[in-house]
Amino acid sequence: KCRTGPLDIVFVIDSSRSVRPFEFETMRRFMMDIIGSLDVGPNATRVGVIQYSSQVQNIFSLKTFFTRTDMEKAINNIVPLAQGTMTGLAIQYAMNVAFTTQEGARPLHKKIPRIAIIVTDGRPQDRVTEVATQARNAGIEIYAVGIQRADMNSLRAMASPPLEEHVFLVESFELIQQFGKQFQDKLCGVDVCVEQEHGCQHNCISTPGSFYCECNPGYRLNVDGKTCSPIDACADGRHGCQHQCVSARGSYSCRCHVGYYLNQDKRTCSLIDYCSFGNHSCQHECVSIPNGHYCRCRSGFTLQPDSRTCRATDLCNGVDHGCEFKCVSMEGSYHCVCPEGQQLQADGKACSKCGAGHVDLVMVIDGSKSVRPQNFELVKQFVNRIVDLLDVSPHGTRVGLVQYSSRVRTEFPLNKYHSADEIKKAVMEVEYMEKGTMTGLALKHMVEHSFSELEGARPLSHNVPRIGLVFTDGRSQDDISEWARRAKESGIIMFAVGVGKAVEEELRAIASEPVEQHFSYSADFTTMTHLVENFKLNICPEEGKGEMEIRSPCECEALVQFQTNTVAILQSLTEKNILWAHSLAQMMARLEDLEKQIANKK
């Protein structure tokens, strides 16, 4: 076998009409004998075959086969072209096509010899001198093998120097097989890596009459062409490690900062949840931080000096008050209140609903990465607080929900659910999207899809108000102006709610006129519940429209209902006054007892 290193060899075989069938068979045998002596493979010697006459035909390229069996099968299937002898055209094809990297030739910088073996039996019918020179200048080493009637001058014009080593004339086709054995020795030459001092630090690769050095995986060859240096796989910045990249012999691994662990993707990191260990002893909430945790109290409570327990500072936050809208703490007590324009019901907790009319309400909530999972849960609670204000039914108020980040997703359309409980349950099951903030894309989706009759919006002829409520916590990554304008021009009443880093200019661009009544802002997610009060009177229509019947407040049933509610409220206030009076009497009695005790001591 030829063991002097990899080669890229292309056989250029003359199949003109002057080559008789039995003579072409000896040429097949010649090629297969040469291939049989080579160490073929994708990383060893690669072989291609082309035949020519008046045209050129590619039998197989350097990238087609990597086993001798496949190559021999393809050679045996060659059908001679049996036309003219355009040798120059064949050399041109070999240079421009067969020896390109697209066809399987190794790049020139790898210094793998490119060898063309031209076998012909006659005089070329085209010019070969100029194109052969171009091929040799392109780095192709040409062996010219003439058989029987071949023209020696043409052979010498094609071959590489020195001519005595690259030009061969075989007297007959019968002798070509014997010549093949001599040609094998000429092709393989001396294994320079074995016979000479090569100086390669890692590996020496032999080529005919020469050699080159190659490094082990994970190393690159230095400019001296012999020594090797480790490849810093982290240096190109494409490793994708969230925290740290650690290079190791051409590869790399990702490492996390202290207090974080590496996720299954082997690139991103997550904070170690020290609270999950179960030994934090926090009375209310445990918050994990790098290298540990700390305790936090719920709103209305104060962390005690032991840094674990909490004490209530606001009775409304310390008890299950049940107030529908807002709980107001007093010293030692509390009471429920409703927004302006609404009445507290007889139970002292519930408020009157938006029952006088109905709307089609679509809420568009920001699910970008900046919101964070815990705050997204607060956003869902905020949505459900608004749902609690509405009289949801197929013929009353309809509610739809859209979430957006880098894309937009309809969580449920206007015609999906027909009760507040169904909507609230669906809201709590919404999954956080994360990624970017494409508010403009969300507005486009709302205008084109969410308020379509296909998704449950009632026809404009029914005069049902269409309300869009956009909730966001940051600057949009796309333009919002066009679709904010289109939304309002299409008759949608737009409300904008901003939290945290929301941009006031964008909120105002979204909001309908008068802007001050249609946009709100809260600095923090935990304090945004007060925004519900701001929106209730604006979202609830002043009067019913469309399919809903408008009832006069002076009708008998309305007056009876008003009287019943008033009596219940007065009764509730009376009961509270009796309790306060009784408490006051007890306090006065205790004061009298204390005065008597002080007098007796004197």
Side-chain angles (χ1 to χ4, degrees), residues 539-556:
I539 290 180
C540 296
E542 295 179 359
E543 60 183 23
K545 296 182 180 179
E547 300 169 4
M548 295 293 290
E549 178 186 0
I550 304 174
R551 297 185 57 191
S552 170
C554 296
E555 288 184 2
C556 181

Side-chain angles (χ1 to χ4, degrees), residues 396-468:
T397 292
R398 299 181 184 180
V399 178
L401 183 66
V402 172
Q403 184 186 174
Y404 72 97
S405 58
S406 297
R407 56 190 178 88
V408 184
R409 182 174 70 204
T410 297
E411 301 295 350
F412 52 85
L414 289 165
N415 57 5
K416 177 73 172 179
Y417 300 112
H418 306 306
S419 71
D421 289 340
E422 288 179 316
I423 291 173
K424 290 166 66 176
K425 182 174 183 291
V427 169
M428 296 313 295
E429 291 174 352
V430 169
E431 293 183 357
Y432 180 36
M433 293 175 71
E434 295 192 43
K435 297 192 177 178
T437 310
M438 304 294 284
T439 311
L441 184 64
L443 290 169
K444 180 177 185 291
H445 181 90
M446 180 194 72
V447 173
E448 293 183 339
H449 300 285
S450 302
F451 281 107
S452 66
E453 293 183 26
L454 183 65
E455 293 198 5
R458 280 156 293 193
L460 292 173
S461 60
H462 289 189
N463 294 323
V464 176
R466 295 183 174 183
I467 296 178

Side-chain angles (χ1 to χ4, degrees), residues 71-88:
M71 295 177 186
E72 290 175 0
K73 183 178 179 181
I75 291 171
N76 282 325
N77 290 333
I78 297 175
V79 176
L81 298 173
Q83 296 174 358
T85 311
M86 303 295 286
T87 311

Side-chain angles (χ1 to χ4, degrees), residues 96-249:
N96 293 341
V97 180
F99 280 109
T100 61
T101 54
Q102 291 83 356
E103 290 297 304
R106 265 74 61 97
L108 289 171
H109 69 82
K110 288 194 173 183
K111 299 180 180 179
I112 294 175
R114 296 181 174 183
I115 297 174
I117 302 175
I118 303 173
V119 182
T120 180
D121 80 323
R123 182 188 300 274
Q125 294 176 340
D126 57 355
R127 296 180 179 180
V128 298
T129 303
E130 182 178 349
V131 69
T133 301
Q134 293 175 357
R136 294 193 299 268
N137 291 340
I140 301 173
E141 185 177 0
I142 300 177
Y143 286 87
V145 180
I147 304 174
Q148 203 165 305
R149 299 172 293 274
D151 177 56
M152 178 58 75
N153 291 330
S154 298
L155 297 177
R156 295 173 65 86
M158 293 186 286
S160 296
L163 296 179
E164 59 270 16
E165 295 184 8
H166 292 82
V167 176
F168 304 94
L169 184 62
V170 183
E171 294 180 358
S172 67
F173 281 94
E174 290 80 2
L175 297 176
I176 192 170
Q177 191 169 357
Q178 181 180 353
F179 161 74
K181 295 181 175 58
Q182 301 173 2
F183 187 76
Q184 291 171 18
D185 296 335
K186 180 71 67 174
L187 192 65
C188 292
V190 177
D191 189 342
V192 179
C193 290
V194 175
E195 301 296 331
Q196 298 180 13
E197 180 62 37
H198 52 75
C200 297
Q201 183 179 357
H202 285 181
N203 304 309
C204 177
I205 307 298
S206 289
T207 62
S210 184
F211 72 93
Y212 65 93
C213 298
E214 193 175 77
C215 296
N216 293 332
Y219 293 82
R220 65 164 54 91
L221 194 65
N222 294 326
V223 293
D224 61 7
K226 296 188 176 184
T227 60
C228 302
S229 297
I231 296 173
D232 184 0
C234 297
D236 61 7
R238 295 182 294 179
H239 48 77
C241 296
Q242 184 179 358
H243 285 183
Q244 298 174 338
C245 177
V246 180
S247 182
R249 293 188 178 182

Side-chain angles (χ1 to χ4, degrees), residues 544-601:
K545 296 182 180 179
E547 300 169 4
M548 295 293 290
E549 178 186 0
I550 304 174
R551 297 185 57 191
S552 170
C554 296
E555 288 184 2
C556 181
E557 291 180 8
L559 289 173
V560 171
Q561 182 64 44
F562 174 76
Q563 183 180 9
T564 302
N565 292 343
T566 303
V567 170
I569 293 170
L570 289 174
Q571 184 177 352
S572 175
L573 292 173
T574 303
E575 289 174 356
K576 290 182 179 179
N577 287 334
I578 292 172
L579 291 173
W580 290 340
H582 181 67
S583 298
L584 183 59
Q586 288 181 333
M587 189 177 297
M588 294 299 294
R590 292 189 62 186
L591 286 173
E592 289 178 3
D593 289 339
L594 288 172
E595 288 175 354
K596 290 178 181 178
Q597 291 176 14
I598 292 171
N600 290 335
K601 287 183 180 180

